[in-house]
Every structure is written in structure tokens, then in C-alpha cells.
């Protein structure tokens, strides 16, 4: 488990960059792309830690509040078809919900659509849905909540200190049962 220390170290550096660069004097497409890119890299790093027994069950069960919008109609959202989420999602009826950290990572890594909002000169929120969820839900995240969620994994307290395995006939492999 020792190499997770290096992953956490890099994760801390990426999160520091995200915090520092949430505000700009003037937004540009390049700044938005750089921010989006770093956010995706952080999501990859966190998912790596989650997919291997490198984080304890407490960190693994972390969730964030989200606003979600249900897909409406039978027409799919496509890049070529309706060009905006308002055409295919019920933006008038937001629902409060929660997403687990793995689902958040997958929405960012596999996004089909990502739209950002700023407030003043600060990167504030994003609307995102993955290639899989584009037929079901669109999710709105606060950037502050994403950074807080990912910060859990940068903290050394999220590391596994004890691990138990059990055999899974379905996977034909040992599976981590409890990680502390």
C-alpha cells in the first residue's frame, strides 16, 4: 500500500492548483480548458485509489450533494441534434440528490457534456453528464463541493491500515471486504 503515498502527494498538488486557479481576472477558453483538464486528472487519481484497495471504507463511502435534472422525451441528447441540455433535460424541475465519489469521478472522466458557470470571476458550478447517463440524468456540481470531496483522498487519513479479503466466485478472485 506504500505507493498510495505518492498518489496522495500528487493529488494534493493538483488540488492546490484547482483552489488557487478558481479565480481569474478575466476568463478565457484556455483557462476553462486547463481547469477542466486538471479536474479530470484529479478524478482519475481518485478513481485509481478507489479501484484498488488503497482507501479506507470511510473515504470510499464519501458523497456530495448534487442537483440533478431528469431526461425528458424519447429523443437522445446528441452533439449533432439538440445542442443544449435545456432541450432534453427538465431544467425547470431540479431534484436535490447525492452522488457517491465513484459516480462523481465517472461523470467527470466519461463526460459527454460539460458546461461551466462562473460567478463574478470565480469558477462556481458545472453541469455534466456522462456518455452513459445522458439518457437518464444531468448533474450540477458546486466546484467547492468537488474540491472538498477529492480532498478527502489527498489526506493520509484515508489510507488503508488494515485489509481483509474474501473469495468471490463471481469474480474468480479475492475481493477486499473491509478496509480500515
Amino acid at each position: 500500500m506504500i505507493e498510495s503515498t505518492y498518489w496522495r502527494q500528487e493529488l494534493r498538488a493538483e488540488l492546490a492548483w484547482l483552489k488557487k486557479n478558481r479565480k481569474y481576472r478575466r476568463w478565457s477558453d484556455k483557462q476553462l480548458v486547463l481547469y477542466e483538464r486538471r479536474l479530470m486528472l484529479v478524478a482519475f487519481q481518485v478513481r485509481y485509489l478507489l479501484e484498488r484497495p488503497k482507501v479506507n471504507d470511510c473515504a470510499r463511502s464519501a458523497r456530495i450533494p448534487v442537483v440533478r435534472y431528469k431526461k425528458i422525451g424519447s429523443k437522445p441528447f446528441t452533439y449533432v441534434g439538440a445542442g443544449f441540455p435545456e432541450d432534453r433535460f427538465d431544467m425547470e424541475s431540479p431534484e436535490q440528490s447525492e452522488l457517491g465519489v465513484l459516480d462523481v469521478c465517472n461523470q467527470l472522466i466519461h463526460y459527454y457534456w460539460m458546461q461551466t458557470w462562473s460567478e463574478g470571476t470565480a469558477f462556481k458550478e458545472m453541469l455534466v453528464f456522462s456518455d452513459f447517463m445522458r439518457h437518464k440524468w444531468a448533474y450540477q456540481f458546486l466546484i467547492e463541493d468537488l474540491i472538498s470531496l477529492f480532498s478527502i483522498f489527498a489526506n493520509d487519513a484515508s489510507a488503508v491500515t488494515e485489509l481483509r479479503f474474501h473469495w468471490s466466485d463471481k469474480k474468480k478472485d479475492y475481493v477486499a471486504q473491509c478496509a480500515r
Side-chain angles (χ1 to χ4, degrees), residues 1 4 8 49-62 153 156-166 175-180:
M1 302 308 162
S4 69
R8 284 181 175 77
L49 292 169
L50 285 166
E51 288 178 343
R52 285 133 186 94
K54 306 240 181 253
V55 294
N56 60 38
D57 291 341
C58 184
R60 187 176 300 283
S61 65
F153 296 86
D156 288 331
S158 71
V160 170
T161 58
E162 181 182 326
L163 192 61
R164 281 185 267 160
F165 290 97
H166 76 279
V175 177
Q177 183 176 17
C178 177
R180 295 186 184 144

Side-chain angles (χ1 to χ4, degrees), residues 77-111:
F77 182 94
T78 63
Y79 288 126
V80 182
F84 297 97
E86 300 86 46
D87 299 326
R88 299 289 185 255
F89 293 91
D90 189 0
M91 304 305 274
E92 301 299 319
S93 302
E95 296 180 23
Q96 299 297 319
S97 187
E98 285 188 339
L99 271 184
V101 65
L102 187 58
D103 290 326
V104 170
C105 289
N106 285 333
Q107 290 303 305
L108 295 172
I109 294 166
H110 300 287
Y111 82 88

Side-chain angles (χ1 to χ4, degrees), residues 8 14 23 41 46 54 69 76 78 90 103 109 116 151 167-168 175-176 179:
R8 284 181 175 77
E14 297 288 349
K23 294 185 179 184
L41 288 173
V46 169
K54 306 240 181 253
Y69 302 94
T78 63
D90 189 0
D103 290 326
I109 294 166
T116 59
S151 293
W167 179 256
S168 169
V175 177

Side-chain angles (χ1 to χ4, degrees), residues 114-130:
M114 184 181 290
Q115 180 178 345
T116 59
W117 289 283
S118 43
E119 188 175 280
T121 59
F123 192 46
K124 182 74 175 168
E125 297 177 77
M126 68 186 332
L127 181 74
V128 65
F129 48 90
S130 67

Side-chain angles (χ1 to χ4, degrees), residues 142-160:
L142 290 173
I143 299 303
E144 183 178 314
D145 289 345
L146 286 173
I147 291 172
S148 293
L149 176 69
F150 293 148
S151 293
I152 293 169
F153 296 86
N155 187 332
D156 288 331
S158 71
V160 170

Side-chain angles (χ1 to χ4, degrees), residues 14 17-18 21-22 24 27-44 79 105 107-117 123 125-128 143 146 150:
E14 297 288 349
W17 188 95
L18 287 170
N21 290 287
R22 272 191 66 206
Y24 287 100
W27 283 103
S28 70
D29 285 342
K30 181 179 179 182
Q31 290 161 327
L32 289 171
V33 168
L34 290 175
Y35 202 89
E36 174 187 307
R37 182 178 165 273
R38 290 281 176 114
L39 203 50
M40 287 179 66
L41 288 173
V42 166
F44 272 115
Y79 288 126
C105 289
Q107 290 303 305
L108 295 172
I109 294 166
H110 300 287
Y111 82 88
Y112 189 85
W113 178 273
M114 184 181 290
Q115 180 178 345
T116 59
W117 289 283
F123 192 46
E125 297 177 77
M126 68 186 332
L127 181 74
V128 65
I143 299 303
L146 286 173
F150 293 148

